[in-house]
Amino acid sequence: MIVTGTYDFSSSLSVASSSSSTVAIPVTAFNVISLPSNPKFINSSSVLLRSLSFSLIRHRSSYSRRFLRRLSFHGNKTQFFSQSSTQTPPLQFTVNSTTQRSGTFVEHLTGITESAEESYDFGDVESARNDIRNVSSRRFETEVEVRELEELPEEWRRSKLAWLCKEVPTHKSVTLVRLLNAQKKWVRQEDATYIAVHCTRIRENETGFRVYRWMTQQNWYRFDFGLATKLADYLGRERKFTKCREVFDDILNQGRVPSESTFHILVVAYLSSLSVEGCLEEACSIYNRMIQLGGYKPRLSLHNSLFRALVGKQGGVLNDYLKQAEFIFHNVVTTGLEVQKDVFSGLIWLHSCQDEVDIDRVSSLREEMKKAGFEESKEVVVSLLRAYAKEGGVEKVERTWLELLDRDCGIPSQAFVYKMEAYSKGGNFAKALEIFREMEKQLGGASVSGYHKIVEVVCKFQQVEFAESLLKEFIESGKKPMLPSYIEIAKMYFGLGLHEKLEMAFVQCLEKCQPSQTIYNIYLDSLVEIGNLEKAGDVFDEMKNNGTINVNARSCNTLLKGYLDSGKQVRAERIYELMRLKKYEIEPLLVEKLDYIKSLKRKEVKRPLSMKLSKEQREVLVGLLLGGLQIESDKEEKCHIIKFEFRETSQAHLILRQHIHDHFREWLQPSIDLQEDIPFEFSSISHSYFGFYADHFWPKGRPEIPKLIHRWLSPHSLAYWYMYSGFRTSSGDIILRLKGSLEGVEKVVKALRGKSMECRVKKKGKVFWIGLQGTNSASFWKLIEPHVLEDLKDHLKPAPESMDNDGEEEEEQSTNFDTSPDHSNDSVE
């Protein structure tokens, strides 16, 4: 028989044409990141299951014995993504928070209260889910040839195939592979295809994928486009986007173009899991391929859902988001679809976020918006105010401000900030201060961003009294964070040579704010400037020993200059050795002085050491790799890149990021040493030295647990594994996240037991959670505590009751393992 997947594409959304002009925009290249995925479909009845039990029920007809029959796939046709609590709500542009450079469209409109009619809704992901039935105006079919069991000539083959169809769905991944391997002598591609199709018919799509993956590893395998398309579509509907992407890539690797439904489903699957890092970039990448590679014309719901995700995304590179948003806008216009008012507003906002605003493009968008019959909303006016402020155009800002006042709907706090910025660039700090006072009066108090901006303005014009007075007001208000304002005041003091006041500001900053490398560097510059090298050396040592601060090239060059200028050659050589070890670049003038000193001793200045990881770096790297660090390999050149990724939403990662960046400074991609903000994602240089870690932790491009991991689980490695991907539960237990095979996890568990620590293991999809409870969590903490960063100890330390229990056995507690996408419900003890 021929199993055919039939989709009924009936339109669910009305689409109007647009007469807007088209604009050619370059497409952003988004990195491909391998990520996990999520929940299971709802199992329902199956027609085929009844025909494949041990007692085989034969379907007989004279026609079926002569020809292949067609069997509809309607059995596996459930609602595409049932609504759940994970559904993304419509975007509302009404938020009362301060703006950041990487904030969302919502966040820059602080204090705005919108009515229901003015809310922004680009079309949520649910619309795109439902619209998959309308991917094409014609019926789309993909055929998979599968013969009926009674048509097989050998009775033994019919019996074994029926038995496999019954047994395969009941086993986990490892057992399933063993079961199939035991049948290698007689199983052919037609047999394996029959099993995979049977699994999809009974809603066991993940099992069908495992059978498919096993097929691809056999020497008799021939690519089957129909089967690959069906599996990709069904997996995508279940939001198993990692597995769906694997099948999608298989299709591409065979030189075939996936069907439009596969593109659409995969994009929606990624958009449905935006809480997982990297999903938005993947959705954009697939969307771009859908248009450029497949030549397809997506439905309006897909355009709008992706645009909404870009505008609502926090963090990221806004320049990339702008290019992608422009590409979506271009596609909507050129295909004659309706451009909604919210799309115009969101695109203008993205332009206003850029460091250099394209005013001509903004004006063009306003004209197109006007031609489409849309009035400019309050959000558009605020975006224009921001764009004009970056230009320093005071007249344009005032005109826009008056327009905002005419609307009589309240002025958001960020509008005051933009106006202050405009007058600051115009050189009128007094007017900026007047606007700040007006902000306090109208809003009942200044916002945090307002304080930051006005302190920045008065410090720029070196108005010491105003700056001190404003900082005092800021402190009394109790609002946070205050660190940016302390940094601005410290810079001003240093520029004016007020070193005593700078020291007072530094001490006060440490009392009220989290330690920062930037404020330490300014203070270090001040101490070297006044010649207080003893104290400068102490501050430098404090920075070096504190993992959350650490030193960088700027710190080392500052102290090296101080020692060379004062003739302290021995101390200068120590700093030089440290810089050489960390591969920091030395300022040219300092290199000349060092060469001269070395020439007096008849020694040449040593060149940088050969690239080699220290023992501490090796142990840290093992811990991070266990925690999920990724390695990209170039097999031809035998070079490897380590990708360091940190989550913005994790307090532990915010602290760990700075420490890891400084710890592996000499191994990272070339960058500006003096940069203040460390990115949340950065990569090492491409080097063959990482081949050892690639072979053991990432063979064949997938995470694996080495066979000798028990030898490498030092307390140092365990500490960094815990800090990077572990957490403490509400009950005070310790949970560690691990990816790899079951055999590898057993080795880790055995190694922990060898250190007198019992643990529980729970598996969810490809991820294992290792739980240490009670006295075991206390033993684990005592082992790793010396290697945990000071600022993370309170955050990660287990429950006090566990620490106080002197080895007594506690009752077994139930550990709550957090769920994440692409996890099944199976577990192991």
Side-chain angles (χ1 to χ4, degrees):
M1 66 182 170
I2 300 178
V3 181
T4 306
T6 306
Y7 300 95
D8 184 14
F9 298 133
S10 58
S11 178
S12 63
L13 288 181
S14 58
V15 180
S17 62
S18 173
S19 59
S20 304
S21 59
T22 63
V23 182
I25 302 297
V27 184
T28 307
F30 286 83
N31 292 329
V32 178
I33 305 172
S34 177
L35 297 166
S37 38
N38 196 37
K40 261 193 168 213
F41 244 50
I42 303 173
N43 286 325
S44 60
S45 62
S46 170
V47 177
L48 188 58
L49 182 59
R50 294 195 297 270
S51 67
L52 293 175
S53 61
F54 238 176
S55 57
L56 184 63
I57 300 176
R58 298 172 180 251
H59 300 277
R60 300 182 178 276
S61 70
S62 58
Y63 182 78
S64 67
R65 290 187 175 277
R66 296 178 183 177
F67 305 97
L68 294 174
R69 294 188 295 182
R70 294 181 177 271
L71 178 62
S72 173
F73 252 71
H74 288 296
N76 199 2
K77 199 167 159 190
T78 52
Q79 181 181 0
F80 185 56
F81 289 110
S82 59
Q83 294 190 17
S84 65
S85 60
T86 60
Q87 177 179 337
T88 307
L91 184 61
Q92 300 291 331
F93 285 75
T94 57
V95 175
N96 296 317
S97 61
T98 59
T99 187
Q100 298 294 335
R101 171 66 177 80
S102 60
T104 66
F105 188 7
V106 185
E107 291 174 329
H108 93 300
L109 302 174
T110 309
I112 298 179
T113 304
E114 291 285 4
S115 63
E117 292 79 7
E118 295 175 321
S119 64
Y120 277 70
D121 186 1
F122 300 107
D124 57 15
V125 178
E126 191 64 29
S127 300
R129 292 176 188 149
N130 295 332
D131 212 26
I132 184 56
R133 299 170 185 170
N134 306 286
V135 169
S136 177
S137 58
R138 56 184 173 82
R139 293 176 67 82
F140 176 81
E141 295 185 351
T142 301
E143 297 181 350
V144 185
E145 292 189 3
V146 180
R147 301 177 68 183
E148 285 280 12
L149 286 181
E150 64 268 22
E151 295 168 3
L152 299 176
E154 308 97 333
E155 184 176 352
W156 65 269
R157 185 181 295 276
R158 294 197 297 270
S159 299
K160 284 193 172 184
L161 198 55
W163 174 74
L164 278 177
C165 287
K166 180 182 178 182
E167 289 296 317
V168 163
T170 64
H171 294 289
K172 301 288 174 60
S173 179
V174 176
T175 311
L176 183 149
V177 172
R178 290 173 180 168
L179 181 64
L180 291 175
N181 283 337
Q183 316 302 319
K184 271 186 178 182
K185 291 184 179 179
W186 66 271
V187 171
R188 303 171 302 189
Q189 175 149 344
E190 293 78 8
D191 304 321
T193 301
Y194 189 94
I195 298 170
V197 170
H198 167 67
C199 292
T200 60
R201 289 302 309 277
I202 63 173
R203 307 297 193 278
E204 292 288 344
N205 297 321
E206 248 189 294
T207 304
F209 170 79
R210 290 168 183 163
V211 175
Y212 165 80
R213 185 52 66 206
W214 178 83
M215 290 171 58
T216 61
Q217 297 170 357
Q218 309 309 312
N219 54 13
W220 41 254
Y221 174 72
R222 301 184 310 278
F223 179 72
D224 188 331
F225 180 77
L227 177 62
T229 298
K230 291 303 166 194
L231 279 174
D233 288 3
Y234 291 145
L235 290 167
R237 286 191 177 94
E238 292 185 349
R239 273 175 52 185
K240 307 284 184 182
F241 55 78
T242 300
K243 297 179 177 64
C244 178
R245 181 59 181 272
E246 285 187 36
V247 182
F248 177 88
D249 289 339
D250 286 347
I251 297 174
L252 290 177
N253 292 336
Q254 291 294 325
R256 303 290 295 273
V257 178
S259 67
E260 186 174 359
S261 65
T262 305
F263 276 109
H264 189 114
I265 289 171
L266 186 53
V267 173
V268 173
Y270 278 126
L271 291 180
S272 300
S273 304
L274 289 178
S275 58
V276 180
E277 187 176 354
C279 277
L280 178 57
E281 288 75 12
E282 291 300 308
C284 292
S285 173
I286 300 300
Y287 170 87
N288 294 342
R289 289 188 185 187
M290 182 178 186
I291 294 170
Q292 297 172 331
L293 180 62
Y296 299 120
K297 295 181 180 180
R299 304 290 288 184
L300 181 61
S301 62
L302 191 66
H303 293 299
N304 288 341
S305 297
L306 186 55
F307 190 93
R308 174 184 178 275
L310 287 168
V311 173
K313 176 68 173 177
Q314 296 188 12
V317 183
L318 287 176
N319 187 48
D320 288 345
Y321 291 167
L322 174 62
K323 291 178 182 178
Q324 185 66 48
E326 284 281 15
F327 182 60
I328 296 171
F329 178 82
H330 171 74
N331 292 325
V332 172
V333 172
T334 54
T335 52
L337 300 176
E338 178 185 12
V339 182
Q340 298 179 0
K341 176 182 178 181
D342 309 323
V343 173
F344 283 114
S345 303
L347 200 50
I348 292 174
W349 173 77
L350 281 174
H351 273 285
S352 73
C353 292
Q354 307 304 306
D355 293 330
E356 295 183 5
V357 182
D358 188 349
I359 297 296
D360 293 337
R361 177 58 181 155
V362 172
S363 301
S364 173
L365 287 170
R366 294 180 66 191
E367 286 296 325
E368 292 183 41
M369 190 175 181
K370 185 176 180 181
K371 289 179 182 178
F374 298 130
E375 292 185 3
E376 292 182 352
S377 63
K378 179 180 178 180
E379 290 74 30
V380 173
V381 178
V382 175
S383 296
L384 292 173
L385 191 67
R386 180 179 193 172
Y388 295 147
K390 289 186 176 182
E391 278 193 325
V394 175
E395 294 181 1
K396 291 182 179 179
V397 167
E398 285 292 351
R399 284 200 302 269
T400 309
W401 181 266
L402 292 175
E403 185 179 345
L404 198 57
L405 290 175
D406 291 341
R407 294 177 179 269
D408 195 24
C409 53
I411 307 294
S413 62
Q414 282 306 110
F416 288 97
V417 175
Y418 302 150
K419 193 176 180 182
M420 282 189 280
E421 182 178 359
Y423 277 99
S424 169
K425 290 188 175 181
N428 191 346
F429 87 91
K431 181 64 177 177
L433 185 59
E434 181 183 331
I435 295 168
F436 176 77
R437 296 305 180 192
E438 184 182 351
M439 176 187 186
E440 288 183 312
K441 183 178 179 181
Q442 291 194 20
L443 302 182
S447 64
V448 173
S449 59
Y451 274 115
H452 288 167
K453 177 55 66 175
I454 193 59
V455 170
E456 177 189 337
V457 170
V458 295
C459 288
K460 174 184 174 182
F461 290 94
Q462 298 183 343
Q463 301 295 317
V464 178
E465 294 182 2
F466 281 121
E468 293 173 345
S469 174
L470 289 166
L471 182 61
K472 184 178 179 181
E473 290 180 26
F474 193 4
I475 295 171
E476 292 174 352
S477 71
K479 296 178 179 179
K480 293 182 179 181
M482 296 182 289
L483 181 61
S485 294
Y486 273 110
I487 291 174
E488 292 297 330
I489 281 189
K491 288 179 180 177
M492 179 188 68
Y493 285 150
F494 182 76
L496 295 174
L498 303 176
H499 298 288
E500 292 183 0
K501 288 191 173 185
L502 192 156
E503 184 172 12
M504 293 174 60
F506 172 77
V507 173
Q508 192 178 41
C509 177
L510 294 186
E511 294 175 353
K512 300 182 181 297
C513 308
Q514 188 175 352
S516 163
Q517 189 181 79
T518 303
I519 195 74
Y520 266 92
N521 278 335
I522 297 172
Y523 183 48
L524 191 63
D525 290 339
S526 173
L527 293 174
V528 172
E529 182 79 12
I530 62 177
N532 191 348
L533 297 179
E534 291 296 330
K535 195 166 188 178
D538 293 339
V539 171
F540 183 87
D541 291 338
E542 182 182 346
M543 294 172 66
K544 185 175 64 174
N545 297 330
N546 190 330
T548 59
I549 304 172
N550 222 317
V551 296
N552 60 2
R554 173 182 171 181
S555 315
C556 294
N557 276 302
T558 297
L559 193 58
L560 179 60
K561 181 179 183 300
Y563 285 150
L564 290 174
D565 291 344
S566 61
K568 298 182 181 295
Q569 297 179 8
V570 176
R571 295 186 180 183
E573 288 179 6
R574 290 176 184 171
I575 299 297
Y576 167 70
E577 290 296 332
L578 175 65
M579 296 181 72
R580 193 167 63 89
L581 183 65
K582 289 183 172 290
K583 307 299 185 294
Y584 289 152
E585 185 177 351
I586 305 174
E587 295 177 1
L589 292 177
L590 300 182
V591 172
E592 294 178 6
K593 291 184 179 180
L594 284 168
D595 285 335
Y596 175 72
I597 293 173
K598 291 294 183 180
S599 66
L600 295 178
K601 296 183 177 182
R602 296 182 180 179
K603 292 182 180 179
E604 295 181 359
V605 176
K606 297 178 183 178
R607 296 304 172 190
L609 297 173
S610 60
M611 298 295 284
K612 186 177 180 181
L613 288 170
S614 65
K615 180 178 181 296
E616 183 180 359
Q617 286 175 322
R618 292 196 298 271
E619 292 182 342
V620 170
L621 200 53
V622 168
L624 296 179
L625 286 168
L626 286 173
L629 213 62
Q630 298 184 24
I631 298 179
E632 290 184 353
S633 301
D634 187 336
K635 295 182 180 179
E636 294 182 0
E637 298 184 4
K638 296 183 179 181
C639 288
H640 313 272
I641 295 176
I642 296 180
K643 297 183 65 177
F644 297 90
E645 297 180 2
F646 299 90
R647 299 188 303 275
E648 297 183 47
T649 56
S650 170
Q651 181 64 29
H653 278 211
L654 290 174
I655 296 172
L656 192 61
R657 172 187 53 152
Q658 174 77 54
H659 172 72
I660 295 300
H661 184 276
D662 293 332
H663 203 58
F664 289 89
R665 166 66 183 75
E666 67 272 22
W667 290 93
L668 300 183
Q669 297 282 2
S671 59
I672 301 175
D673 290 333
L674 302 182
Q675 62 180 352
E676 304 296 348
D677 297 325
I678 304 300
F680 283 89
E681 295 183 12
F682 48 86
S683 301
S684 71
I685 59 175
S686 180
H687 203 282
S688 59
Y689 189 86
F690 298 126
F692 171 83
Y693 300 95
D695 293 341
H696 287 83
F697 288 92
W698 276 82
K700 300 180 181 179
R702 295 182 182 180
E704 188 55 80
I705 302 172
K707 295 181 179 179
L708 299 178
I709 188 61
H710 58 282
R711 296 185 182 179
W712 306 333
L713 282 181
S714 67
H716 207 160
S717 299
L718 290 171
Y720 278 84
W721 179 16
Y722 182 33
M723 288 188 288
Y724 187 64
S725 68
F727 62 91
R728 180 186 63 190
T729 65
S730 57
S731 59
D733 299 324
I734 288 176
I735 306 296
L736 299 170
R737 181 178 181 273
L738 186 62
K739 265 192 173 184
S741 64
L742 181 61
E743 292 81 358
V745 175
E746 290 174 350
K747 288 183 173 63
V748 173
V749 171
K750 186 176 180 181
L752 291 174
R753 287 173 178 168
K755 299 178 187 293
S756 302
M757 289 178 283
E758 292 293 331
C759 56
R760 297 181 63 212
V761 181
K762 190 163 187 175
K763 181 186 178 186
K764 299 184 178 181
K766 292 184 178 180
V767 178
F768 291 86
W769 299 97
I770 298 178
L772 294 142
Q773 301 172 287
T775 55
N776 295 306
S777 65
S779 300
F780 181 80
W781 178 255
K782 290 177 182 178
L783 181 67
I784 68 169
E785 184 179 10
H787 308 287
V788 177
L789 299 180
E790 286 295 330
D791 288 351
L792 289 180
K793 287 186 177 180
D794 292 338
H795 182 68
L796 298 175
K797 187 176 181 179
E801 307 85 59
S802 302
M803 304 300 295
D804 296 337
N805 193 324
D806 298 328
E808 298 178 2
E809 292 294 331
E810 298 182 352
E811 294 184 4
E812 184 178 11
Q813 305 172 16
S814 61
T815 302
N816 294 323
F817 296 93
D818 290 352
T819 58
S820 59
D822 204 18
H823 291 168
S824 60
N825 296 322
D826 50 331
S827 63
V828 296
E829 287 292 325

